[in-house]
């Protein structure tokens, strides 16, 4: 089937809109030579609106994925510098979980701390003069590429790769902290 149109048509007799979708069949029957489309209607009720609103406001904590927001609104450079120091130390604390071979917990801690560190680093990079930004961006890239590699290595339980990535993270964090 192929999705052809999708329109929102207000239903004036009620307060809830009706969505109509026309679907064109992707194959033709040999017995029918004319083309036709089927029409489906979805009526949005008050209950469905409530469910959709609850789903939209519900934040899934169990996914533990990377967050993609880059700048914290209203964050000062001083707050970002303090945050970088705190979150970098928290990121390095993943070593304890790696030594215990608690791979899932290590991945969760790694993702949480790296997301927070990423936001603070981005704020600091944006505040620096243009001549200093390329060096910090390179360190930023090195750090978070190794964080991603460590995440994948922990998923695969690849011991040598885990420790190589962790050492690269330590070097990048120390270099970043010395430049801030």
């Amino acid at each position: 089937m192929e999705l052809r149109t999708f329109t929102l048509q207000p239903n004036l007799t009620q307060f809830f809109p009706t969505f109509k979708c026309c679907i064109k069949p992707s194959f033709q029957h040999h017995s029918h030579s004319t083309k036709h489309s089927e029409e489906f209607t979805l009526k949005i009720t008050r209950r469905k609106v409530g469910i959709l609103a609850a789903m939209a406001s519900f934040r899934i904590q169990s996914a533990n994925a990377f967050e993609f927001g880059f700048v914290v609104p209203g964050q000062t450079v001083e707050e970002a510098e303090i945050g970088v120091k705190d979150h970098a130390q928290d990121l390095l604390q993943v070593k304890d979980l790696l030594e215990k071979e608690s791979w899932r917990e290590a991945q969760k801690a790694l993702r949480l701390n790296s997301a927070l560190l990423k936001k603070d680093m981005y704020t600091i990079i944006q505040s620096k003069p243009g001549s200093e930004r390329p060096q910090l961006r390179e360190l930023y890239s090195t750090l978070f590429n190794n964080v991603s590699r460590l995440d994948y290595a922990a998923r695969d339980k690849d011991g040598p790769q885990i420790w190589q990535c962790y050492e690269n993270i330590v070097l990048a964090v120390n270099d970043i902290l010395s430049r801030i």
Side-chain angles (χ1 to χ4, degrees):
M1 286 192 217
E2 176 184 339
L3 185 63
R4 297 224 21 209
T5 61
F6 184 75
T7 58
L8 171 65
Q9 296 179 346
N11 189 348
L12 298 177
T13 61
Q14 296 178 347
F15 294 108
F16 305 108
T18 300
F19 293 93
K20 288 190 178 182
C21 179
C22 295
I23 298 179
K24 175 183 167 187
S26 61
F27 62 92
Q28 290 191 7
H29 298 287
H30 295 292
S31 62
H32 300 294
S33 61
T34 60
K35 293 183 179 179
H36 68 282
S37 63
E38 299 177 22
E39 189 173 284
F40 296 98
T41 303
L42 172 66
K43 192 175 254 188
I44 304 295
T45 62
R46 197 176 333 176
R47 180 177 178 184
K48 290 178 186 172
V49 169
I51 292 170
L52 291 173
M55 288 172 58
S57 65
F58 182 68
R59 182 175 175 188
I60 300 174
Q61 293 292 332
S62 63
N64 292 318
F66 290 104
E67 293 186 23
F68 294 106
F70 285 105
V71 179
V72 177
Q75 183 182 31
T76 65
V77 177
E78 292 80 20
E79 290 171 340
E81 288 175 354
I82 292 169
V84 164
K85 291 174 185 172
D86 292 340
H87 299 306
Q89 291 302 319
D90 292 342
L91 184 65
L92 297 179
Q93 294 299 319
V94 173
K95 181 179 182 180
D96 297 334
L97 295 170
L98 295 173
E99 288 174 343
K100 294 177 186 175
E101 297 183 0
S102 301
W103 307 122
R104 292 278 185 207
E105 289 78 19
Q107 284 180 296
K108 290 176 185 178
L110 185 71
R111 292 173 185 170
L112 174 67
N113 293 317
S114 66
L116 298 171
L117 181 60
K118 189 177 280 193
K119 290 178 183 181
D120 293 333
M121 280 290 302
Y122 191 80
T123 302
I124 291 171
I125 290 171
Q126 292 302 100
S127 71
K128 295 290 184 182
S131 61
E132 295 178 26
R133 288 183 189 176
Q135 296 168 344
L136 287 173
R137 284 185 185 135
E138 187 175 325
L139 290 171
Y140 176 93
S141 177
T142 301
L143 174 63
F144 293 109
N145 285 338
N146 278 294
V147 167
S148 295
R149 287 185 192 114
L150 178 59
D151 188 12
Y152 285 118
R155 180 194 66 188
D156 297 337
K157 300 173 185 169
D158 183 3
Q161 180 70 22
I162 288 171
W163 294 112
Q164 180 183 358
C165 291
Y166 182 79
E167 292 303 319
N168 291 341
I169 290 170
V170 170
L171 293 173
V173 164
N174 288 335
D175 202 4
I176 288 169
L177 291 176
S178 69
R179 292 177 190 247
I180 292 181

